[in-house]
Structures are given as C-alpha cells and as structure tokens.
Amino acid sequence: MRKQFFMLLMLVLVSTAASAQTKLNGYAVGFYNLENLFDYTHDEGKNDYEFLPDGSYHWNEMKYTHKLHNMARVLSEMGTDKIPDGCAFIGVSEVENAHCLTDLVAQPALKARGFKFCHIEGPDRRGVDCALLYNPKYFTVKNVKLVPYVPELAKDSTFKTRGFLTVSGELAGEHVTVIVCHWPSRFQGSFYRETAGKEVRVLKDSLLRDDPNVKVFVMGDMNDDPTNKSMHEGLGAKEDIDKVKAGEMYNPWYNTLVLGHTGTLKYNGSWNLFDQIVMTPNLLNQNGKKDFTTLKYISHQIFRRDYLFQDTGKYKGNTKRTTAGGVWLDGYSDHLPVVVYLAKEAR
C-alpha cells in the first residue's frame, strides 16, 4: 500500500494529449482525541478538580509531562506512513487550555517541525476544548473563530458544550477551511448530536456561499458512528464517492466501519468509529476522473502503532489509555487517530 501511494504521488499521471509525466505533491491532514490533556493547576470556573494533585487522578507534574511526551509522539508520527514530513494540520479535542497547547508544541518531536496552534477558549464546563495544530510550512492560517453550539430552546436552553472551531487558511495554494468538532457525549442522547450535525452543515454551507471554491473539512470526535443520523442525515456525510451531491459531504469512514469492521475506539469488545474527517465534493475525483490540477482526496487511514494498544491482560487489543480503572498506565488515549491523504500537481 505504501509503495503504491508513493508511486501515485511521486511518479506520474499520463495525460492523453501529450503523454507527459506530471509530478504530484502529497499532503496529510489528521484528527486525534487526546483524552484529557489537562495541566495540574485549577482553571477558574472550570470543573477540572479530578486533574489536580489531590484529585481522583492524582494528576501532577510528572504525569502531565509524560502525557505531553506521549501525545507529541503520536502527533509527530501521524501521516508519516505516506508523507515523510507528517501532517499539514491536525485537529485535536479534549485539551484543557492554551497553556497545555503551548507545552505540547514545545515538545521536541513537534518543535522540530515548527508546529503552531489555533485555539479559542470554549464554554465546556469541564474545560475541554478543540484546537488545530498546524505546520506553517504547509498551512497558512488566515482566520480563526469559534462558532457556538446553539441548543434548541424547546429541549434545553441551558445546555453548554464545545463550539465548532473554524480555521480558514491556505493549503497547497488553495483556500481551505477546517471545522474541528467534539460533539456532545452519548450520555446526552442522540438529539444533541443530531443538532450538532445540522448546525455544522449550516456553517459549512455558509462558508461555501462566501466562497464557492473553498474546500471544507469537518473533523472531530463526533461521539457517533458514520452510520448514525447526526452524520449521515444531519451533516449529510455520504459513503459513496460517486454519489455525493452538491450540499453533501463525503465520509470515507462509513465503509471502514461497515465493510472493514474496524474503528477508532472499542466499547464492550466492539469497534465504534467516532473520529472522522469528512470533506466537500470539490475535494473529490468522482466517476473515475484523475484530475489533480487542484487539491484532491487520495486515501484515508486509521493510524495504528503497536504502542497505542494494550498488549496484555483483560483488555488486550484495546487502546492503551492514560489511566484505566484508577490505575495510571502512562498510555495515550482511548481513541485512535485518523488521517486523510491529499494530492495536487506540482508546479
């Protein structure tokens, strides 16, 4: 698979007119739920007491430092299976604050590539936010805003959760916008995620009205599978690349779950695929086309490394978490990262 991808990216597209060889540049974009990247000091107004030295996790400088190192290791390796320099940008969720992000990008594995971040403090009561890490060598940030999740008054007007971090910029010389999400928990019920799906679709449509050529990625921990109503109907993220219509999005993860029977997190021994990256149709080559004059989708990947899994005990084969059952495992996350690969003609 890796050799085939490099052949596609680095060798040729043969034009029917001139039989000329055209080189492609490859790009990777990703998403990773960092599972409770908290520092060990209290943030006023936030329910972060579990992650204090006297809290239930007995969180301290040593554990925080290990967590930063572990997260940076994964983030720096994402995308490198096919793009040696890794991801151009990576959406992340479950980050407490800008202090954590500053410490994260200062880790040697990310600092070496000059990673920066976009973040706006949100209303989540626990204090977890979404952010976008990016390599300025590939992605130039133009605008950052946090679009709030608006609860439907008839249901619960007091409900607060993460908003939709919306970052516009330039990738491969093109206008690209990424919406980083962490939709409401399954404890809240499907209604709240269906609302999120509809609201993100409205946001995406507004971006396309402002610039019909903008290429939009919606990524995040949706707390729903690709088959669920919030994704398939609310957001309009469809599984068949050739049948995605204007106003819809393409979701490559649908068939990864349904046909591939795998996902990004396990619950009671079964896979879910909550971590997704979906895209607007202008990122697709549909109906057999091979037009890479503009940025186009190539493939996708659940990022896996042996160290991300428990290798012994009752939960062998599950993701290796930072803490489980009250025991600090010095692990990573309960979620696996995801990556999408793109290509464009080199000029």
Side-chain angles (χ1 to χ4, degrees), residues 37-102:
L37 179 55
F38 280 78
D39 60 24
Y40 51 94
T41 60
H42 177 57
D43 282 10
E44 189 67 30
K46 300 296 184 180
N47 185 15
D48 59 0
Y49 298 104
E50 290 179 308
F51 289 91
L52 299 178
D54 59 354
S56 60
Y57 288 100
H58 303 289
W59 204 240
N60 55 33
E61 183 177 8
M62 183 272 290
K63 292 180 180 179
Y64 174 58
T65 300
H66 277 241
K67 178 73 171 178
L68 290 169
H69 174 268
N70 290 351
M71 295 297 91
R73 179 184 183 183
V74 182
L75 293 162
S76 67
E77 292 182 11
M78 288 171 61
T80 58
D81 287 347
K82 298 177 182 179
I83 307 294
D85 214 18
C87 289
F89 57 76
I90 304 170
V92 295
S93 65
E94 293 201 19
V95 178
E96 184 183 16
N97 51 36
H99 171 231
C100 294
L101 290 161
T102 299

Side-chain angles (χ1 to χ4, degrees), residues 285-303:
N285 268 320
Q286 295 179 298
N287 301 311
K289 291 183 179 179
K290 293 184 179 180
D291 177 10
F292 291 92
T293 54
T294 64
L295 195 64
K296 291 295 195 298
Y297 162 80
I298 289 283
S299 65
H300 64 287
Q301 170 194 39
I302 297 175
F303 180 80

Side-chain angles (χ1 to χ4, degrees), residues 224-264:
D224 260 341
D225 286 322
T227 54
N228 290 131
K229 190 174 180 180
S230 63
M231 289 297 298
H232 203 249
E233 297 181 25
L235 184 57
K238 306 301 184 180
E239 68 274 20
D240 189 332
I241 196 168
D242 290 329
K243 295 181 180 179
V244 177
K245 302 173 184 176
E248 297 179 337
M249 304 191 80
Y250 174 55
N251 192 345
W253 311 98
Y254 188 106
N255 288 324
T256 300
L257 178 67
V258 173
L259 302 180
H261 307 292
T262 190
T264 56

Side-chain angles (χ1 to χ4, degrees), residues 197-232:
K198 294 173 186 176
E199 292 185 4
V200 173
R201 187 171 190 167
V202 169
L203 172 57
K204 178 264 299 180
D205 289 345
S206 72
L207 295 169
L208 286 165
R209 282 195 300 272
D210 289 342
D211 178 5
N213 295 315
V214 65
K215 294 183 172 178
V216 181
F217 295 92
V218 175
M219 62 171 60
D221 174 1
M222 310 306 188
N223 273 308
D224 260 341
D225 286 322
T227 54
N228 290 131
K229 190 174 180 180
S230 63
M231 289 297 298
H232 203 249

Side-chain angles (χ1 to χ4, degrees), residues 130-314:
C130 294
L132 186 77
L133 309 180
Y134 67 96
N135 186 336
K137 180 179 177 181
Y138 302 105
F139 185 65
T140 303
V141 173
K142 302 291 188 181
N143 181 263
V144 184
K145 61 182 178 181
L146 184 65
V147 178
Y149 176 98
V150 180
E152 293 192 22
L153 298 180
K155 188 75 174 179
D156 183 358
S157 62
T158 66
F159 182 75
K160 292 182 179 180
T161 192
R162 286 81 52 176
F164 314 119
L165 183 71
T166 306
V167 181
S168 292
E170 188 175 288
L171 176 66
E174 299 185 30
H175 184 192
V176 168
T177 297
V178 54
I179 305 169
V180 188
C181 304
H182 187 184
W183 289 1
S185 163
R186 289 211 154 188
F187 291 111
Q188 264 87 42
S190 178
F191 169 85
Y192 292 95
R193 293 184 301 284
E194 290 172 32
T195 299
K198 294 173 186 176
E199 292 185 4
V200 173
R201 187 171 190 167
V202 169
L203 172 57
K204 178 264 299 180
D205 289 345
S206 72
L207 295 169
L208 286 165
R209 282 195 300 272
D210 289 342
D211 178 5
N213 295 315
V214 65
K215 294 183 172 178
V216 181
F217 295 92
V218 175
M219 62 171 60
D221 174 1
M222 310 306 188
N223 273 308
D224 260 341
D225 286 322
T227 54
N228 290 131
K229 190 174 180 180
S230 63
M231 289 297 298
H232 203 249
E233 297 181 25
L235 184 57
K238 306 301 184 180
E239 68 274 20
D240 189 332
I241 196 168
D242 290 329
K243 295 181 180 179
V244 177
K245 302 173 184 176
E248 297 179 337
M249 304 191 80
Y250 174 55
N251 192 345
W253 311 98
Y254 188 106
N255 288 324
T256 300
L257 178 67
V258 173
L259 302 180
H261 307 292
T262 190
T264 56
L265 71 160
K266 269 188 174 181
Y267 182 71
N268 287 337
S270 298
W271 284 107
N272 289 104
L273 211 165
F274 292 173
D275 308 271
Q276 301 165 57
I277 304 172
V278 302
M279 63 208 81
T280 45
N282 55 6
L283 279 153
L284 305 177
N285 268 320
Q286 295 179 298
N287 301 311
K289 291 183 179 179
K290 293 184 179 180
D291 177 10
F292 291 92
T293 54
T294 64
L295 195 64
K296 291 295 195 298
Y297 162 80
I298 289 283
S299 65
H300 64 287
Q301 170 194 39
I302 297 175
F303 180 80
R304 298 173 183 270
R305 291 289 189 271
D306 288 345
Y307 63 76
L308 293 174
F309 296 89
Q310 295 196 50
D311 56 7
T312 59
K314 179 181 178 181

